[in-house]
Amino acid sequence: MVYLRTIKLLRENFPNTKEYPFHLPSLRKLEAIELESSVTFFVGENGSGKSTLLESIAYQCGFHTAGGSRNNFYEVHRSEASLGDYIRLSWLPKITNGFFLRAESFYQFASHIDQMGSESYKNYGGRSLHEQSHGESFFALFANRFNGRGIYLLDEPEAALSPKRQIAFLYVMRDLVEEGAQFIIATHSPILLGYPGATILNFDESPVQEVNYRDTEHYQLTRRFLEKPETFLNEK
């Protein structure tokens, strides 16, 4: 299901085009992104703007920009969305259920859940996220907190997942999509990018462009390495 249909940049309101994030090449010529798939991936090098835009979508959704939903309130340094006031979202239909996962501040989110008390653990596998491994805590979130008919914004979810767990997460995504979920995911994982039928948007292009899975640098570089790992480092 696609709820969020369009992400429009209000470029005419940018205060300037020389400072972050307004100077990013991926955003400089971008007018809007049309979403047509239940699963959309943002890909690109570090600093290309994919996480910045994802965080701004979370801001416009009313989700905590350090991670969480509309019902999570806690203080985290630098959790503001620098692009948040310069995009407009178009929905059909509008929904409010969902979650923003930000891998780099997940520890603070887990501490926030602890502060809410043990009653809150029922949404995260029945125990503190801090009492689980990093990968287990991510999966507890996916399996217990996520449900159908919601929008899920994930910033590098593979950070805590082994390759086996990443494949398991693809099954979780499939089940949630069948129940009516929409995903927008910023990732470097060639495994996650292989989700069938997903749209992949390349933030290394200016403006952002759709790219085929097998044409992504993630796929091609990983394939080259796996085909000849013993000689890969000798290549120029």
Side-chain angles (χ1 to χ4, degrees), residues 190 193 213-224:
L193 288 173
Y213 171 57
R214 287 177 173 80
D215 291 332
T216 62
E217 184 180 46
H218 309 68
Y219 174 87
Q220 294 185 357
L221 190 60
T222 302
R223 181 179 178 179
R224 278 177 50 210

Side-chain angles (χ1 to χ4, degrees), residues 49-115:
K50 60 187 185 300
S51 293
T52 298
L53 183 58
L54 189 68
E55 183 181 66
S56 299
I57 297 169
Y59 172 84
Q60 284 290 335
C61 288
F63 301 158
H64 197 301
T65 54
S69 68
R70 296 169 69 95
N71 300 317
N72 298 114
F73 305 97
Y74 60 103
E75 294 294 328
V76 176
H77 181 56
R78 295 186 65 182
S79 64
E80 73 279 359
S82 54
L83 194 64
D85 292 324
Y86 301 96
I87 66 170
R88 179 183 297 133
L89 307 182
S90 297
W91 304 79
L92 188 65
K94 179 71 169 70
I95 60 169
T96 58
N97 182 48
F99 195 93
F100 175 45
L101 169 69
R102 186 178 178 182
E104 68 179 33
S105 54
F106 190 73
Y107 181 92
Q108 287 85 351
F109 173 77
S111 297
H112 160 65
I113 297 302
D114 281 349
Q115 292 170 1

Side-chain angles (χ1 to χ4, degrees), residues 197-218:
T199 297
I200 303 174
L201 300 177
N202 184 7
F203 278 66
D204 288 333
E205 298 291 338
S206 179
V208 174
Q209 298 287 330
E210 184 173 349
V211 61
N212 182 275
Y213 171 57
R214 287 177 173 80
D215 291 332
T216 62
E217 184 180 46
H218 309 68

Side-chain angles (χ1 to χ4, degrees), residues 144 148 227:
N144 297 282
E227 285 178 343

Side-chain angles (χ1 to χ4, degrees), residues 39-54:
V39 177
T40 301
F41 290 107
F42 292 173
V43 300
E45 265 300 333
N46 296 329
S48 62
K50 60 187 185 300
S51 293
T52 298
L53 183 58
L54 189 68

